[in-house]
């Protein structure tokens, strides 16, 4: 198989690519449904209201805002300067500190819950798992989740296949890799898994801007990205001629509890 340009770009470059498009990311990325946070409360056995939460890889605050709405006390951790600046602009009353999951700038036993929304895959689990266990209070929990495309919806499967050809990747296989063994190869954490389906209806420009805010696009040349998004506009309008796109997602949630106090 021919290696695409995106595959040749370093993991670090992809992670840093969001900083230049922080406002686009904040404006167009999907949020998360209430049922996701219901599932977190069910699995942890405690309400989010009043919980001390560290939202790591918080980006522009998409997940942080939902946690705040549930009454959590949140400190955000974000490595990127551009993303952190956009976070402060949108959530000025919420503390955000620069750092990442491999070396959390947080005190031991200081969090009831650590969350990673769309961001655990930027960490090294050999470092981020021990860091999470250090920062969590005994009996606290680590929650990882990702909005993934609902590939059983025909038009979404076709769009994913086109993107796969564009990037030389198998996105369906990559989605299947969102499991406990990948999240923690050491096996120290016992993850429960939940999948929550939800959808949103957005103008086609929002849909395309959402696609264009993903790191695989951001590290390509602007011309190559524009060409793919122009082709996507044509395909999507064949399905949604009124220009209002129904995006359907499966949120994959992995949640593990820290050991109780000895």
């Amino acid at each position: 198989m021919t290696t695409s340009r995106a595959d040749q770009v370093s993991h670090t470059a992809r992670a840093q690519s969001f900083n230049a498009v922080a406002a686009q990311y904040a404006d167009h990325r999907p949020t998360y449904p209430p049922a996701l946070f219901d599932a977190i409360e069910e699995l942890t056995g405690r309400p989010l209201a009043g919980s001390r939460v560290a939202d790591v890889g918080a980006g522009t605050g998409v997940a942080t805002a939902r946690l705040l709405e549930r009454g959590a006390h949140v400190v955000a951790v974000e490595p990127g300067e551009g993303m952190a600046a956009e976070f402060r602009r949108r959530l000025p009353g919420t503390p955000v500190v620069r750092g990442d999951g491999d070396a959390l700038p947080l005190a031991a036993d200081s969090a009831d819950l650590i969350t990673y929304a769309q961001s655990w895959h930027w960490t090294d689990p050999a470092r981020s798992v021990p860091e999470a266990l250090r920062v969590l209070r005994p009996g606290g929990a680590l929650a990882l989740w990702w909005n993934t495309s609902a590939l059983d919806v025909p038009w979404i499967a076709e769009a994913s296949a086109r993107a796969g050809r564009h990037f030389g990747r198998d996105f369906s296989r990559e989605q299947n890799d969102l499991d406990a063994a990948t999240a923690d190869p050491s096996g120290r954490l016992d993850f429960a898994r939940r999948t929550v389906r939800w959808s949103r209806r957005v103008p086609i420009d929002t849909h395309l801007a959402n696609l264009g805010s993903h790191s695989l696009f951001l590290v390509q040349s602007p011309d190559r990205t524009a060409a793919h998004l122009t082709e996507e506009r044509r395909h999507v309008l064949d399905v949604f001629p009124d220009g209002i796109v129904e995006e359907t997602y499966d949120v994959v949630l992995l949640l593990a509890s820290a050991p109780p106090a000895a």
Side-chain angles (χ1 to χ4, degrees), residues 159-233:
S160 178
R162 288 191 296 271
R165 291 191 293 271
H166 181 77
F167 290 113
R169 301 172 74 103
D170 183 349
F171 291 111
S172 62
R173 181 186 62 78
E174 291 180 12
Q175 287 191 192
N176 289 334
D177 287 342
L178 298 178
D179 57 16
T182 303
D184 176 22
S186 73
R188 293 180 66 182
L189 297 174
D190 183 15
F191 282 105
R193 179 184 171 117
R194 294 284 190 279
T195 302
V196 177
R197 175 156 291 195
W198 72 288
S199 64
R200 67 172 188 169
R201 291 173 56 82
V202 296
I204 191 169
D205 287 346
T206 296
H207 173 72
L208 296 173
N210 171 28
L211 291 181
S213 73
H214 286 73
S215 62
L216 287 172
F217 282 108
L218 297 174
V219 296
Q220 294 189 65
S221 70
D223 287 347
R224 189 162 186 247
T225 293
H228 181 76
L229 294 180
T230 297
E231 179 184 358
E232 273 307 290
R233 179 183 294 273

Side-chain angles (χ1 to χ4, degrees), residues 101-118:
D102 294 340
L104 290 170
L106 302 171
D109 300 332
S110 62
D112 299 309
L113 177 68
I114 298 176
T115 59
Y116 281 81
Q118 311 284 139

Side-chain angles (χ1 to χ4, degrees), residues 53-140:
V53 180
D55 187 24
V56 186
T60 62
V62 176
T64 306
R66 303 288 80 80
L67 291 163
L68 292 169
E69 289 172 358
R70 300 291 286 232
H73 303 301
V74 184
V75 58
V77 179
E78 169 54 40
E81 180 178 356
M83 297 290 266
E86 189 67 20
F87 181 104
R88 293 187 184 98
R89 190 175 76 81
R90 292 173 184 261
L91 296 171
T94 302
V96 56
V97 294
R98 298 288 298 282
D100 63 57
D102 294 340
L104 290 170
L106 302 171
D109 300 332
S110 62
D112 299 309
L113 177 68
I114 298 176
T115 59
Y116 281 81
Q118 311 284 139
S119 58
W120 183 255
H121 54 283
W122 300 118
T123 75
D124 173 4
R127 299 172 65 191
S128 55
V129 168
E131 275 294 271
L133 291 173
R134 178 185 67 82
V135 170
L136 284 171
R137 64 163 182 81

